[in-house]
Amino acid sequence: FNYTHHPKTEGLGEIGNKQQNQRGFGMHSTLAVTPTGMPLGVLTQAFFTRPIGEPAHKPNEVRKLPIEEKESYRWIEAFEQTLALAPDDTEVVTVCDREADIYEMFVVAQEKNNASLLVRANVDRCLDEQEGIHKLWQKVEQQPIAGHLSVEITGNQKRKARQATVSIRFTPVKLKPPWRPDQKKLPPVTLNAILVREENPDEDIDDPIEWLLLTNTPVDDFDDAVCVVGWYCCRWQIEIFHKIIKSGCMVEDC
């Protein structure tokens, strides 16, 4: 949230890049929805600020930090809070976009008796040496197309709403743990990878669909893969929630 235009407000932190000199804070929410996208309510919510004047960390410096000291740790905290709130007789699948592509997220899911998790991949991760193929994207791309699916793409400021026909490929993958200096050794993690790709987009489409989804839920056939893609499409409800808070409730004017 940008509160730069409220110069008297105390307790704000840096947002954006340092050249913008903006002030505000961040909000991280978990929204519960049904598999059809019906919102049920907010499960978790946390607010965070970035210190003013603190030097920006370089990527190699960030990698050396324990996960608990990284800003991305809020994803793991929300995941664990969600698991604590979930009723015993209800299957809860935590669905996240690329910002949650954190190896420790998959480890937490594995340690919590394979608590259901679905994350859109952001990193072309290394695979276990026994895989024969060394990179995640390469292995999934080499799988045959299992079928095609029509998905509804919601519109935003950058794209128009439309129907897209996508191909589906899937395969199990065993991820190689990343190296973490001076930290405990992470275990390998086995997941199912689903590549959702718009093979023949119209000429006027600037950003054809390509999602690589990672999940620890069963994906044994095309129908299972379609179910997982449907879960990922429900993630857009959090974007609508953010839009309502900013544009509808106009919280940045408060």
Side-chain angles (χ1 to χ4, degrees), residues 69-175:
E69 295 181 19
K70 298 179 182 179
E71 195 173 276
S72 56
Y73 186 60
R74 64 180 184 269
W75 288 95
I76 297 175
E77 290 181 308
F79 184 30
E80 292 179 327
Q81 290 167 18
T82 298
L83 295 177
L85 291 167
D88 292 336
D89 58 350
T90 303
E91 181 183 10
V92 176
V93 182
T94 296
V95 182
C96 313
D97 208 2
R98 288 175 288 186
E99 192 179 344
D101 185 6
I102 307 161
Y103 195 86
E104 284 83 354
M105 280 281 285
F106 304 122
V107 172
V108 169
Q110 185 168 270
E111 293 175 344
K112 301 286 186 179
N113 297 317
N114 282 326
S116 299
L117 179 65
L118 167 58
V119 176
R120 181 179 170 189
N122 185 50
V123 181
D124 192 12
R125 295 190 177 277
C126 294
L127 300 181
D128 187 271
E129 293 178 357
Q130 296 179 355
E131 290 275 338
I133 299 174
H134 299 296
K135 285 292 188 176
L136 171 62
W137 243 269
Q138 182 185 4
K139 177 165 184 180
V140 188
E141 285 178 327
Q142 289 186 4
Q143 305 308 307
I145 294 177
H148 291 84
L149 176 68
S150 178
V151 295
E152 183 178 349
I153 307 301
T154 57
N156 58 26
Q157 295 176 339
K158 297 180 180 178
R159 64 169 184 255
K160 296 180 181 179
R162 62 188 179 90
Q163 290 288 128
T165 299
V166 296
S167 62
I168 303 291
R169 295 175 172 87
F170 61 89
T171 183
V173 293
K174 187 175 182 181
L175 304 184

